[in-house]
């Protein structure tokens, strides 16, 4: 192995050059689809059908966005989305973390069965119709609570995936921390609240992000469980409604010739889809940078180790 | 830990905000939680039955306000809460419409709706609903409360009845004409070709595939590039449910109208398959031929709908077999680019020049479509009355033409027309959200054809509107052929045979016929492109493979079901 | 240091613990139990409760009639699924696409995370991270539309670049040849999700004890040695857990949307997965039972694979799922 000193001169330079070039490639490749969508959203629908729109609109228009914002109850729905995302995420992350803590304790008498019960949920699905009956019988249809208890039309309040990720993380924390706290007389709950939670910020931020995005993007649960109460409509659902109607009005073969002609518009499904995507994703994109700083918190860990 | 405190504080703040929102939302509908989605607002259930007998005579007498909840797949812009038409309906008829739109997969939504019995009052047609007995029979209601409906459907009354039990469940939204049927634009299937190609060769008349493809071949050789991009002779589409481009041509070439997957003998009303038979083979062989000449779009069967439209919009596809409404967007795009000569004219090709073409048909009644009333509706008579009222000339014009002065003007001869500003306004989606009710209109029964005052049912069919919209090249083309409208290119259709059409026969969910139908489609999608795109010397082998694979499919189940229903129609649809 | 005598300290030696009775353990661990059982009840009710619906797999389920009111068909639905002449092909496609997506996904996500970690300027690092997961927010419709365009024979960027580099002399119809489909699925999955997938690895990397790096530095380790000896072992538990989980998902076919939107007749033999098959012959034609039957099949296989993967991990001394 070369001596440490000589490695420092050329290697970092070469490596960083390669790395930055590679990252540039990654950025271009991942940024392009988004820029393209942005461009299409600002481009006239009919003009887009010609093709050839890459990262800049050719026939600038705000019509697509106008249609999106004037459609239905976009603004009210936005707040419903915010509510379910915030409440759903906070509740879910807290409960999941707590559960993860319990199964991370090797001495927990029910550790194996509890873990198994949750892990298995990732591999089966009972079906939409039986789930519907359950929600109906519990009087959860058309309530806000169904967004918290049954998000995405699945038992998503506690995600087994998230639980496992947190558990893995907790297991990597030094056991001595917990032991010394217990010697001091702390109960499990206290250990969880005052020691584990603070230390888990990176992983909690991670699963909070996953959960929040899931809640934010969710429309299927509204579709199946809450579609007849307009006050419960979420942003995604309103946007999907709009998209659906655009697709249908251009596509129904049972419409006679006259109707098909009269509904020709400047707005096409493609351009609407683009505008909808931007409107739907921009809010949530702001969440990540906010959570990102918590990922770095893990560096504090080293100082706690004895 | 400052970071954590900050996060907690923000979280709490949002929580409080969110809770207050939720609390206010919940309190609004306090007594209407959970349960079925179908119950009308509390006011409706309070309206006394005593009010109804007094208005059974007049179709427009104000009714005590009540709400109809309905479910549709929206076919137009979603109306805003203050939409003008809905407001008028509320004020004049006392009806508040609470609409729910299909967003995702209809199968899943219907599955849970039916399983849970959670239906709104009105719903759009679907075979599953009839099978699940979710909708009520309508014939008595129409007899008693729907004079307009009874008159409207008079001639086709027998056809409305469900084959299984003889009840009427759905009110078809298209296909019943009051006056004459005079279409101007042609919207159906045809072999389309660019006007530029026709012009280049002096507007030839032709009827066969060979002549059609010769024109394309010559033009492509002369102009290998259009607007800087390679010319494509012939394209097609086989994407998702848009399968007719690939599958339907043979039946028309053989002189049959669109019966879906079968050829039906007009005299005996017996159906036979044409897939993988010698009726279809010549067509695909021809396509294989032009593929060898480099005229076939190599991507035709791998592309999606958007790509297909983009290709057509670029103006470099010389021809395709398609239905006009399917590429409407491309047409509009070409027009907006000013490429009028690149727009298309449809021609009815046939295998044999002596065969009469039957592309243009008399639109059949649109069965299994339109509204029905569910078992959850508390006051079906009121609903029928509402639909009945909407069938009056006043409301039909209100929904289709619009409002006088806003959507159209009345000319000296009493005919309606639109100014260019009005026409542009009709394309403005955001304007339509406030002033039009296209989704509702789409599913309501319609008076089609001409009104007694000479106006067409809607601007689309108003002859003067049509002529005003013609561009120079269009006029040139039409006059060169001696035609007035695009439909003149096609032979006038005979009266529909009793059992027409076969494509809307219900194959019964989950049945062997349905399975066979899907398998036939899969096979067509898989092997027909292969046959077309393969080298000419391999065509026979691929075709034989196709035929033998098709033989493995239980096509008999499919055919039996079709024939059974055709016979039933012959026996039962006596009035026409 | 105050002594609490109420709680028995959890540091009793192993042997002492074993002689404890079940119930006294339960009482001692009541906090842990309280902290977990509400969630267990939740999942039993909401996830396990509706399993009675699996009965539908043995019927010709028609909605609108109660589950007891249906026609029973025994194993017919399963038979339809397995006996279909295309079934082995469909199964092969499903497993292949899962496997390819899995391998590609893991390698690219971990690799990218490691490389990202080497970027020291946090501002740039964060920017790159944020941009890299943007495709995750695009709908599959949009992404597959873009893929379609990129692979087009008419000016699609892939063909253009390959021709410019003289690697091919005429455009390839990528979406028309079955044998390319699996690769397209894998790469599209990577494109859309690699940025998002790095999130979890970056969080794991961030939690590796810095003093380990210092120790490695002292031992004379260079960049790659540090990654190999410190970072990777540090995130190994996360990798193993994710690996085991994904093995259980092998019958999901590497997604659904790509196959749905990009699959076409010409590539059908390669693109059709179990889910697509079930969609076409189940839900679309009104047969709800087929989907349930396929679901049961997938669950059974998943659990078996999961158990195997878990046991292997246990034998190898790795982090286990259960």
């Amino acid at each position: 192995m070369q001596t440490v000193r000589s490695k420092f001169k050329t290697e970092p330079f070469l490596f960083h050059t390669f790395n930055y070039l590679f990252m540039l490639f990654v950025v271009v490749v991942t940024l392009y689809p988004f820029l393209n969508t942005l461009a299409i959203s600002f481009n006239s629908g009919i003009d887009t059908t010609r093709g050839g729109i890459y990262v800049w609109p050719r026939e600038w228009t705000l019509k697509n966005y106008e249609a999106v914002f004037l459609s239905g109850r976009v603004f009210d729905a936005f707040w419903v989305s915010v509510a379910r995302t915030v409440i759903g995420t906070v509740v879910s992350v807290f409960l999941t973390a707590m559960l993860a803590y319990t199964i991370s304790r090797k001495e927990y008498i029910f550790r194996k069965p509890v873990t198994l019960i949750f892990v298995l949920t990732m591999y089966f699905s009972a079906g939409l119709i039986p789930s519907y009956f359950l929600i109906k019988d519990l009087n959860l249809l058309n309530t806000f609570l169904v967004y918290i208890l049954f998000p995405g039309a699945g038992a998503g309040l506690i995600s087994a995936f998230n639980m496992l990720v947190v558990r893995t993380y907790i297991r990597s924390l030094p056991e001595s921390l917990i032991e010394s706290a217990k010697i001091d007389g702390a109960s499990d709950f206290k250990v969880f609240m005052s020691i584990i939670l603070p230390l888990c910020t990176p992983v909690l931020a991670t699963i909070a992000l996953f959960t929040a995005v899931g809640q934010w993007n969710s429309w299927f649960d509204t579709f199946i469980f809450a579609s007849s109460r307009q006050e419960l409509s979420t942003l995604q659902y309103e946007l999907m409604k709009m998209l659906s109607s655009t697709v249908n009005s251009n596509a129904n073969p049972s419409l006679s010739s006259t109707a098909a002609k009269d509904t020709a518009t400047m707005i096409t499904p493609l351009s609407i889809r683009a505008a909808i995507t931007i409107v739907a994703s921009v809010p949530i994109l702001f969440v990540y940078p906010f959570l990102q700083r918590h990922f770095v918190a893990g560096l504090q860990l080293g100082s706690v180790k004895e | 830990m400052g970071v954590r405190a900050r996060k907690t504080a923000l979280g709490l703040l949002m929580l409080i905000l969110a809770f207050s929102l939720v609390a206010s939302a919940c309190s609004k509908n306090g007594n209407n939680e959970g349960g079925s989605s179908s119950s009308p607002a509390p006011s409706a259930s309070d309206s006394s039955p005593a009010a109804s007998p007094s208005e059974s005579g007049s179709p427009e007498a104000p009714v005590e306000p009540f709400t109809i909840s309905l479910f549709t797949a929206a076919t137009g812009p979603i109306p805003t809460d203050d939409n003008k038409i809905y407001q008028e309906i509320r004020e004049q008829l006392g009806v508040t419409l609470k609409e729910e739109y299909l967003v995702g997969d209809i199968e899943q939504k219907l599955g849970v709706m039916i399983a849970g019995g959670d239906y709104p009052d009105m719903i759009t047609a679907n075979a599953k609903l009839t099978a699940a007995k979710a909708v009520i029979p309508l014939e008595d209601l129409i007899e008693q409360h729907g004079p307009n409906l009874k008159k409207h459907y008079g001639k086709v009354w027998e056809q409305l009845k469900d084959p299984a039990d003889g009840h009427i469940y759905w009110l078809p939204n298209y296909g019943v004409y009051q006056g004459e049927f005079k279409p101007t634009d042609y919207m159906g299937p045809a072999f389309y070709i660019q006007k530029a190609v026709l012009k280049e060769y002096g507007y030839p008349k032709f009827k066969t595939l060979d002549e059609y493809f010769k024109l394309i071949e010559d033009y492509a050789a002369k102009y290998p590039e259009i607007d800087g991009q390679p010319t494509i002779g012939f394209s097609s589409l086989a994407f998702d449910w848009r399968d007719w481009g690939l599958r339907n041509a043979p039946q028309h070439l053989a002189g049959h109208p669109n019966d879906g997957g079968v050829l039906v003998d007009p005299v005996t009303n017996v159906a036979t398959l044409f897939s993988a038979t010698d009726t279809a083979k010549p067509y695909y062989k021809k396509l294989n031929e032009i593929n060898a000449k480099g005229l076939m779009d190599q991507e035709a069967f791998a592309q999606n709908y958007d790509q297909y439209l983009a290709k057509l919009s670029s103006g470099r596809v010389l021809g395709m077999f398609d239905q006009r409404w399917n590429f409407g967007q491309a047409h509009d795009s070409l027009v907006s680019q000013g490429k009028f000569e690149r727009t298309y004219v449809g021609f009815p090709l046939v295998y044999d020049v002596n065969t009469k073409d039957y592309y243009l048909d008399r639109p059949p009644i649109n069965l299994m479509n339109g509204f029905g009333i569910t078992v959850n509706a508390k006051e079906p008579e009121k609903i029928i009355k509402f639909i009945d009222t909407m069938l009056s000339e006043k409301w039909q014009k209100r929904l289709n033409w619009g409002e006088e002065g806003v959507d159209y003007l009345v000319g000296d001869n009493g005919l309606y027309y639109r100014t260019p500003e009005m026409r542009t306004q009709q394309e403005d989606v955001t304007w339509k959200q406030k002033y039009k009710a296209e989704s509702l209109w789409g599913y309501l029964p319609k008076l089609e054809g001409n009104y007694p005052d000479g106006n067409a049912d809607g601007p689309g069919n108003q002859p003067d509107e049509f002529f005003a919209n013609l561009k120079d090249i269009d006029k040139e083309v039409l006059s060169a052929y001696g035609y007035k409208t695009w439909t003149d290119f096609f032979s006038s259709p005979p009266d529909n045979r009793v059992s027409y059409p076969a494509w809307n026969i219900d194959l019964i969910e989950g049945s062997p016929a349905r399975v066979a139908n899907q398998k036939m489609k899969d096979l067509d999608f898989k092997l027909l492109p292969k046959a077309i795109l393969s080298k000419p010397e391999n065509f026979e082998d691929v075709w034989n493979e196709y035929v033998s694979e098709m033989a493995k499919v239980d096509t008999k189940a499919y055919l039996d079901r079709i024939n059974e229903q055709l016979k039933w129609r012959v026996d039962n649809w006596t009035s026409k | 240091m105050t002594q609490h005598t109420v709680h028995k300290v959890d540091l009793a030696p192993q042997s002492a613990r074993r002689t404890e009775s079940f119930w006294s353990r339960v009482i001692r661990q009541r906090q842990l139990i309280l902290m977990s059982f509400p969630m267990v009840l939740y999942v039993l009710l909401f996830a396990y409760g509706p399993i009675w619906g699996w009965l539908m797999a043995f019927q010709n389920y028609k909605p609108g009639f109660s589950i007891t009111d249906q026609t029973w068909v025994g194993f017919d639905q399963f038979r339809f699924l397995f006996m279909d002449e295309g079934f082995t092909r469909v199964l092969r496609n499903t497993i292949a696409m899962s496997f390819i997506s899995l391998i590609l996904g893991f390698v690219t996500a971990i690799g990218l995370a490691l490389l990202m970690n080497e970027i020291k300027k946090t501002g740039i690092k964060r920017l790159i991270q944020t941009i890299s997961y943007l495709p995750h927010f695009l709908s599959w419709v949009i992404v597959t539309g873009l893929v379609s365009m990129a692979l087009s024979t008419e000016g699609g960027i892939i063909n253009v670049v390959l021709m410019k580099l003289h690697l091919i002399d005429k455009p390839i119809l990528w979406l028309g040849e079955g044998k390319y489909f699996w690769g397209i699925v894998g790469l599209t999955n990577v494109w859309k999700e690699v940025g998002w997938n790095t999130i979890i690895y970056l969080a794991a990397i961030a939690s590796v004890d810095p003093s380990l790096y210092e120790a490695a530095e002292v031992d004379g380790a260079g960049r790659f040695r540090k990654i190999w000896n410190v970072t990777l072992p540090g995130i190994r538990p996360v990798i193993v857990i994710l690996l085991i989980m994904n093995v259980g998902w092998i019958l999901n076919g590497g997604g659904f949307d790509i196959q749905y939107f990009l699959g076409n007749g010409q590539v059908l033999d390669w693109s059709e997965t179990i889910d697509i098959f079930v969609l076409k012959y189940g839900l679309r034609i009104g047969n709800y039972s087929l989907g349930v039957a396929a679901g049961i099949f997938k669950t059974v296989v998943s659990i078996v694979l999961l158990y195997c993967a878990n046991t292997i991990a246990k034998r190898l001394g790795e982090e286990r799922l259960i």
Side-chain angles (χ1 to χ4, degrees), chain C residues 31-53:
Chain C
Q31 281 223 338
L32 285 178
I33 294 177
L34 272 171
M35 283 162 75
S36 57
F37 263 58
M39 285 70 103
V40 171
L41 288 173
Y42 164 81
V43 92
L44 284 178
L45 175 64
F46 283 91
Y48 288 88
I51 283 201
W52 60 263

Side-chain angles (χ1 to χ4, degrees), chain A residues 46 49-50 63 66 132-133 136 141 220 223 227-228 240 244-245 248-249 251 253-254 257-259 261 264 268 294, chain B residues 3 34 37 74-76 100 102-103 109 112 115-116 118 174 185 187 241 310 329 332-333 337 366 428 430 460-461:
Chain A
I46 285 295
T49 54
R50 285 171 55 192
K63 271 289 174 198
E66 210 185 315
Y132 184 80
F133 278 123
K136 186 176 155 118
L141 278 182
F220 190 68
F223 174 51
S227 59
S228 28
M240 286 297 290
S244 236
S245 77
N248 286 336
S249 55
S254 59
S257 56
T258 51
K261 270 192 320 167
T268 60
H294 296 289
Chain B
V3 163
S37 52
T75 53
E100 203 193 303
L102 175 69
V103 164
K109 186 64 177 172
V112 298
D118 299 325
Y174 286 104
D185 243 332
M187 282 307 200
W241 55 272
Q329 269 180 60
D332 295 335
S333 178
Q337 294 173 62
N366 204 7
D428 185 344
T430 46
N461 279 332

Side-chain angles (χ1 to χ4, degrees), chain C:
Chain C
M1 194 166 90
T2 44
Q3 295 253 199
H4 294 260
T5 46
V6 178
H7 290 289
K8 242 196 178 155
V9 176
D10 204 19
L11 295 174
Q14 198 79 353
S15 48
R17 220 178 288 146
R18 257 193 227 121
T19 56
E20 228 187 316
S21 81
F22 174 81
W23 285 110
S24 65
R25 275 182 82 183
V26 167
I27 294 178
R28 184 156 56 84
Q29 294 182 355
R30 62 183 179 280
Q31 281 223 338
L32 285 178
I33 294 177
L34 272 171
M35 283 162 75
S36 57
F37 263 58
M39 285 70 103
V40 171
L41 288 173
Y42 164 81
V43 92
L44 284 178
L45 175 64
F46 283 91
Y48 288 88
I51 283 201
W52 60 263
W54 277 5
L55 288 175
M56 284 196 240
F58 303 98
Q59 306 171 328
N60 235 342
Y61 185 78
K62 300 266 170 260
F65 307 100
S66 93
I67 191 108
T68 45
D69 212 2
Q70 306 278 346
T71 33
W72 293 90
V73 297
F75 283 92
D76 279 358
Q77 302 288 0
F78 291 92
R79 225 165 287 158
F80 181 87
L81 186 65
F82 298 135
M83 297 301 188
D84 190 278
E85 45 143 17
F87 181 69
T88 12
R89 193 178 23 91
V90 166
L91 192 60
R92 173 204 71 168
N93 295 342
T94 309
I95 296 177
M97 283 189 261
S98 276
F99 190 69
I100 293 178
S101 297
L102 186 117
I103 300 290
L104 281 178
F106 263 84
V107 167
T108 53
I110 297 174
L112 187 61
L114 291 173
L115 286 176
M116 274 188 191
N117 191 48
E118 294 296 322
I119 296 177
K120 298 307 172 192
K121 299 201 178 94
T122 44
I124 298 199
K125 180 172 168 182
R126 265 201 225 159
L127 183 66
I128 296 178
Q129 268 180 266
T130 311
I131 293 179
S132 75
Y133 69 68
L134 282 180
H136 174 82
F137 291 97
L138 300 174
S139 72
W140 277 112
V141 185
I142 293 185
V143 170
T144 51
L146 288 170
V147 170
S148 220
M149 237 171 49
L151 295 176
S152 163
T153 49
E154 313 237 326
I157 190 159
I158 302 285
N159 279 317
V160 164
V161 165
L162 286 177
M163 290 213 293
K164 281 233 156 69
L165 294 177
H166 297 291
L167 289 170
I168 55 174
D169 41 61
K170 67 184 190 94
I172 301 180
L173 182 60
W174 300 97
L175 285 173
E177 302 256 355
K179 59 187 192 221
Y180 297 128
F181 198 78
W182 293 352
I184 293 175
V185 169
L187 290 173
T188 307
N189 270 323
V190 167
W191 185 27
K192 189 174 190 292
E193 303 292 355
V194 68
W196 188 256
N197 290 341
T198 58
I199 292 179
I200 200 167
Y201 293 113
L202 284 169
I205 291 175
S207 71
V208 171
D209 184 356
S211 64
L212 291 175
Y213 289 110
E214 286 158 21
E217 182 93 12
V218 168
D219 282 348
R223 185 190 309 272
F224 291 103
R225 202 121 287 266
K226 276 193 216 155
I227 292 178
W228 189 258
N229 284 347
V230 179
T231 320
L232 279 178
I235 63 174
R236 189 151 91 202
V238 170
I239 297 180
V240 171
I241 291 287
L242 288 176
L243 201 55
I244 300 178
M245 281 201 268
N246 273 287
V247 163
W249 287 326
I250 204 94
L251 286 187
N252 280 353
F256 169 81
D257 304 84
I258 307 180
Q259 294 84 337
Y260 181 72
F261 289 113
L262 291 180
N264 58 67
Q266 294 169 266
V267 298
L268 194 67
D269 281 344
W270 299 74
S271 67
E272 204 175 25
T273 58
I274 296 180
D275 289 338
I276 299 270
F277 179 86
V278 165
L279 178 73
K280 282 205 290 205
Y281 291 98
L283 197 63
R284 281 283 141 80
I285 65 172
N287 182 357
Y288 293 92
S289 295
L290 189 67
V292 183
I296 295 180
F297 167 65
K298 280 165 71 172
T299 300
V300 168
V301 172
S302 297
I303 294 181
V304 167
L305 287 175
L306 201 61
Y307 179 73
C308 291
N310 200 53
T311 315
I312 294 177
K314 187 154 86 173
R315 294 277 161 79
L316 292 177
E318 299 287 348
E319 181 87 4
R320 289 151 25 216
L321 206 58
I322 302 169

Side-chain angles (χ1 to χ4, degrees), chain A residues 42-114:
Chain A
F42 282 109
N43 199 53
S44 142
I46 285 295
D47 179 76
T48 312
T49 54
R50 285 171 55 192
I53 307 283
Y54 297 112
V55 289
W56 202 255
R58 181 169 54 214
E59 219 180 272
W60 185 271
T61 179
L62 288 175
K63 271 289 174 198
N64 299 316
Y65 285 99
E66 210 185 315
V68 168
F69 284 115
L70 290 182
S71 136
R73 322 162 38 93
V74 164
F75 288 108
D76 291 333
F78 174 79
W79 288 111
V80 176
S81 286
V82 169
R84 68 173 288 181
T85 302
V86 170
I87 300 177
T89 304
V90 169
V91 173
S92 177
V93 168
F94 180 75
L95 293 179
T96 306
M98 193 157 72
L99 180 66
Y101 171 71
T102 67
I103 60 167
S104 72
R105 302 291 92 225
K106 288 203 163 54
E107 72 279 2
Y108 182 32
I109 190 173
F110 295 123
R111 179 175 60 99
K112 282 209 176 141
V114 168

Side-chain angles (χ1 to χ4, degrees), chain A residues 151-202:
Chain A
L157 177 62
I158 311 289
S159 151
F161 180 86
N162 290 347
M163 178 195 81
L164 289 170
V165 169
V166 177
R167 182 197 70 172
T168 308
Y169 192 88
I170 294 179
R171 287 232 262 248
S172 73
L173 298 175
E175 189 67 20
S176 52
L177 274 176
I178 301 166
E179 282 170 10
S180 53
K182 287 227 169 137
I183 291 175
D184 282 349
S187 67
D188 275 303
F189 188 69
K190 188 132 191 297
V191 170
F192 171 66
M193 293 294 286
S194 30
I195 299 183
I196 303 293
L197 269 190
L199 285 178
C200 281
T201 354

